Amino acid sequence: MSLPRRVRIVDVAPRDGLQNEAKSVPTRVKLELIERLQDAGVAAIEATAFVSPKWVPQMADHAEVMAGIRKRPGVAYPVLVPNMKGFETALAAGADEIAVFGAASETFSRKNINCSIAESLERFAPVVEAAKAQGVRVRGYISCAAGCPYEGEVAPRAVADLAGKLYRMGCYEVSLGDTIGVGTPRKIRAVIEAVGKKVPIAKLAGHYHDTYGQALANIYASLELGVKTFDSSVAGLGGCPYAKGATGNVATEDVVYMLDGLGIETGVDLMKVLGTGQFICSELRREPSSKVARAMSAKLNA
């Protein structure tokens, strides 16, 4: 089975990676992170989230972040928006790509965004419609695509049903999120095969957390089915709030290392992204979760 020749990486560190940091990260640091990521060749960088500072204090500087980005041709800077108010604020700040997010689990949907899956779709519909009218691209996220912290197993058909609705609504791409990192290659394949009946495989992305160390294996399984876009976070920033002490997002460095080894083009410079990880971890005063970063550091310091 042939693998894709090229893969698009969406680095979510500035938003998903930083949003749960207890200490406020200065705007200048967020902007430097974005600058370094695009300098490393990352073609899509999730810049911030236009959510209420009451719920996500770390994203309170969303307008300042958008104003400070030195945008480059060919680089996308999607931002997360939860509702019409968020969209209007994002539009005013100059966003030209947004992301809406739903869950394949009813319980998770109610606990995370305080509404049912059906209600979340009703909330997103006018946002997507308004975005299309303004020429703003819309990306769709699905949480709990491989399992739920409250309900356990999530049926692939439930993921497929939601993905189909988001795609028909107008999302140019649907990112399948293994929010708690319980997916295995067999499970991920089943999800993609089910979703592929409702959404073209070329319009799917994988967003796999590494809680149980399965993210790279799940990416490989997805590659075998033709998925060409993957979300990751430099240095593995972002934890899994439903599994205490567990890692969250798969590290961009680890994904690039694997894809380089497979001969798959990403346009991302591994050494530059390693340097980016070192930069942000130094600012946060922690060690990177990336296995590649740790191995390279040990090698250099041997």
Side-chain angles (χ1 to χ4, degrees):
M1 188 177 295
S2 62
L3 301 178
R5 293 183 177 180
R6 187 174 183 86
V7 156
R8 172 174 170 260
I9 289 178
V10 180
D11 197 297
V12 300
R15 194 280 300 179
D16 197 13
L18 296 179
Q19 69 178 3
N20 289 322
E21 286 293 318
K23 293 183 66 175
S24 177
V25 180
T27 303
R28 62 167 180 80
V29 172
K30 296 175 183 176
L31 290 170
E32 178 70 14
L33 173 60
I34 293 170
E35 179 72 14
R36 286 171 176 262
L37 285 171
Q38 58 185 4
D39 188 55
V42 179
I45 304 165
E46 193 177 53
T48 186
F50 285 80
V51 295
S52 170
K54 176 183 177 182
W55 301 114
V56 190
Q58 193 64 254
M59 298 290 110
D61 60 349
H62 42 225
E64 290 81 2
V65 168
M66 290 305 292
I69 296 173
R70 291 190 287 183
K71 294 184 177 181
R72 303 189 190 187
V75 179
Y77 308 91
V79 299
L80 202 69
V81 301
N83 49 36
M84 184 60 78
K85 181 180 180 181
F87 169 68
E88 291 170 347
T89 308
L91 190 66
D96 54 16
E97 180 172 331
I98 65 169
V100 296
F101 52 98
S105 155
E106 284 288 354
T107 307
F108 189 90
S109 181
R110 291 185 182 279
K111 287 183 177 288
N112 193 43
I113 54 178
N114 200 32
C115 66
S116 68
I117 295 173
E119 289 167 339
S120 72
L121 290 168
E122 290 176 8
R123 184 186 297 176
F124 300 148
V127 174
V128 176
E129 197 61 36
K132 288 193 292 184
Q134 294 290 335
V136 174
R137 282 158 51 95
V138 184
R139 195 170 193 248
Y141 276 118
I142 296 180
S143 300
C144 300
C148 171
Y150 309 109
E151 297 180 9
E153 285 291 316
V154 172
R157 64 177 179 277
V159 184
D161 183 57
L162 180 56
K165 289 174 179 175
L166 287 172
Y167 182 65
R168 290 193 299 274
M169 191 181 288
C171 292
Y172 80 90
E173 183 173 80
V174 178
S175 180
L176 306 174
D178 181 9
T179 310
I180 54 175
V182 294
T184 59
R186 182 179 180 182
K187 175 71 173 179
I188 293 300
R189 286 182 68 91
V191 171
I192 293 172
E193 287 168 351
V195 174
K197 296 174 182 177
K198 302 285 185 76
V199 181
I201 296 292
K203 302 295 184 180
L204 297 179
H207 183 113
Y208 308 136
H209 282 213
D210 204 32
T211 314
Y212 289 86
Q214 300 297 295
L216 290 179
N218 291 339
I219 288 174
Y220 192 88
S222 304
L223 288 168
E224 290 183 319
L225 293 177
V227 178
K228 300 178 182 180
T229 299
F230 297 96
D231 301 347
S232 62
S233 179
V234 69
L237 292 185
C240 180
Y242 309 101
K244 189 174 181 180
T247 56
N249 295 296
V250 64
T252 301
E253 299 94 316
D254 297 355
V255 176
V256 172
Y257 182 87
M258 182 181 79
L259 294 175
D260 282 353
L262 291 169
I264 296 174
E265 296 178 14
T266 62
V268 179
D269 185 307
L270 178 60
M271 297 309 296
K272 285 186 176 181
V273 85
L274 280 165
T276 302
Q278 291 169 350
F279 158 75
I280 191 61
C281 285
S282 175
E283 292 288 341
L284 298 176
R285 297 181 180 179
R286 69 174 54 169
E287 292 298 314
S289 294
S290 163
K291 300 293 193 300
V292 171
R294 292 181 178 186
M296 293 290 280
S297 177
K299 184 177 180 180
L300 291 172
N301 294 322

